[in-house]
Amino acid sequence: MTNNISELPLGIPESPEAIAEIQRIRKPIAFANAKRAPFWKGKLDHIDPAKLDDPEEWAKIPILDKDQLRALSTEEFYEDFCTARQEDICEYWRSGGSTGRPLFYPKTYEDIRYNMVGFARTFQCTGTLPGNVAHIAFPLGIHPAGHMWARSARIIGIGAIWGGSGVSLPSANQLELIQSLKPTVFMGMSSYGLHLANLAAAQGIDLANGSVNRVLCTAEPVSAAKRAKLARDWGADVYDCFGMTECSMMGAEGEARNGFHVWTDLAFIEVLDEETFKPVDEGEPGVLVMTPLFSNNGAAFLRWNSGDIVTWERQDGAASEFGVFPVIRHAHRTAGFFKIRGVNINHQEYEDFLFDIPEVNDFKAELVTAPDGTDSFSLSIEIRAGVDIAALSEKVTRATKATFEVTPNVFVLDLGTLAKEFESSVKAPRFVDKRK
């Protein structure tokens, strides 16, 4: 077993003061990189690059958001916003949003050197030590998370099984690999981790007593209920990580799992009021705005509005070397909901509600139009083997009515039915509106 940490161009800073010094040096460089792009022409001329450590001067830089980039044509995006010369481009990363036209960001060789730091640190921060073997079930290809984690695992001294998502390697085959190769870490979206666990249960595979003792997730919220179900089904400790393709992997949970330690030497972060864009106090929710300090060589990101609503706080030092970084916690994300007969059912809340019932293996909630033309709430559930089907169905019906003021029509499916249905989706479509 070997590691290659010396390949990384940036170590963990020793103090907040060391981070502040890195920011002082790198802000003008990031500003100059962005200013090369025609997109920023005339928008930054009133700003003094020698005074960027002054919060008032920095705040003069306009906030950049997704709508501004999507307003550009494809040609305008690459000619006006992207600044990399062709010979400097190492790879392209697809934007992480699920709505609108996807964008493909050029990453230079210099960008990737520092992006690799962000991914490698997730192993260190979560206590995932050299000698582990990780089954990586993130998509491999234009989405960066899977291949960047596999490449950074080598640097840390962690073996990697390049599984990819269930679209490229069917989930049944992924379970076979996990059983035969016995990885100690599972890495994938939390919803796919649940999907694999549900498929395993249907096939009589006992994941909870298998080789995996640690799960690393990213890309979607991990609520307390989802975390508990993942931990229960896999028999593993669950850690969440945070990143964005506009920068890199930017943070991870530590042993306490009380929020993401954010690498503020790689990215300058601001938490701002959603309306005024003024800084908010520690513990107060605001929108996360990010400037890459080392990796805006290919695309001119500067004060990027991520759309994430977070709280932040400084750490008081102690627990690990990552205590030098502040912690952010997601306050909320834009959440989907059903509205039926005047009642809003929040998707995340209902998912948490069902996953808090250990006997429920998986579910799908649908709004349908009944024969009489009225709206109907159809809930299909899979129940763990050995459970009284009638009693649990009644329990779910009564609890849904009591909590959400809507009575579902509950249908019990055979174990594995939903796993097969969800197989072709990167994220399981557990909420569907089929009303006519």
Side-chain angles (χ1 to χ4, degrees), residues 66-78 94-105:
K66 295 178 175 69
D67 290 338
Q68 291 171 266
L69 295 190
R70 287 175 178 159
L72 302 176
S73 67
T74 299
E75 293 75 16
E76 288 171 334
F77 174 72
Y78 291 109
R94 186 188 189 279
S95 59
S98 58
T99 60
R101 173 173 58 97
L103 300 171
F104 295 86
Y105 306 139

Side-chain angles (χ1 to χ4, degrees), residues 344-363:
N344 288 336
I345 301 177
N346 182 286
H347 291 176
Q348 186 67 60
E349 291 177 2
Y350 196 66
E351 180 179 87
D352 289 350
F353 162 78
L354 286 176
F355 284 159
D356 261 339
I357 303 173
E359 298 88 352
V360 174
N361 199 56
D362 207 351
F363 76 93

Side-chain angles (χ1 to χ4, degrees), residues 58-121:
W58 181 261
K60 294 177 184 177
I61 300 173
I63 302 280
L64 175 66
D65 62 32
K66 295 178 175 69
D67 290 338
Q68 291 171 266
L69 295 190
R70 287 175 178 159
L72 302 176
S73 67
T74 299
E75 293 75 16
E76 288 171 334
F77 174 72
Y78 291 109
E79 291 177 6
D80 294 351
F81 187 76
C82 298
T83 55
R85 299 179 305 173
Q86 185 170 355
E87 60 266 33
D88 294 330
I89 296 171
C90 180
E91 57 197 65
Y92 284 87
W93 288 6
R94 186 188 189 279
S95 59
S98 58
T99 60
R101 173 173 58 97
L103 300 171
F104 295 86
Y105 306 139
K107 293 283 185 173
T108 69
Y109 291 94
E110 184 71 0
D111 289 336
I112 292 298
R113 288 182 68 228
Y114 287 92
N115 293 157
M116 200 64 74
V117 174
F119 278 87
R121 281 182 182 174

Side-chain angles (χ1 to χ4, degrees), residues 252-405:
E253 293 179 328
E255 185 60 35
R257 281 165 280 184
N258 62 347
F260 301 113
H261 297 271
V262 176
W263 331 136
T264 46
D265 56 339
L266 286 176
F268 181 69
I269 68 166
E270 305 168 77
V271 182
L272 307 178
D273 183 273
E274 292 180 77
E275 300 297 328
T276 66
F277 289 111
K278 301 292 185 184
V280 300
D281 294 332
E282 287 190 51
E284 294 298 316
V287 65
L288 179 65
V289 173
M290 176 281 306
T291 298
L293 293 174
F294 289 89
S295 58
N296 70 341
N297 299 289
F301 286 105
L302 201 61
R303 297 197 84 201
W304 171 252
N305 182 343
S306 69
D308 293 289
I309 306 301
V310 303
T311 61
W312 75 280
E313 65 180 38
R314 298 178 182 88
Q315 295 297 283
D316 51 15
S320 79
E321 59 187 342
F322 287 92
V324 72
F325 295 114
V327 162
I328 65 169
R329 302 180 183 90
H330 279 106
H332 63 79
R333 286 179 180 262
T334 302
F337 64 90
F338 280 158
K339 188 166 187 175
I340 180 168
R341 294 192 287 275
V343 176
N344 288 336
I345 301 177
N346 182 286
H347 291 176
Q348 186 67 60
E349 291 177 2
Y350 196 66
E351 180 179 87
D352 289 350
F353 162 78
L354 286 176
F355 284 159
D356 261 339
I357 303 173
E359 298 88 352
V360 174
N361 199 56
D362 207 351
F363 76 93
K364 181 173 72 171
E366 299 173 297
L367 294 188
V368 298
T369 302
D372 63 0
T374 60
D375 291 342
S376 179
F377 181 24
S378 174
L379 178 64
S380 301
I381 59 175
E382 294 181 15
I383 295 175
R384 293 194 179 277
V387 174
D388 186 321
I389 292 175
L392 186 64
S393 298
E394 177 63 20
K395 174 183 175 181
V396 170
T397 302
R398 285 189 284 102
T400 298
K401 174 63 175 175
T403 305
F404 296 93
E405 300 180 354

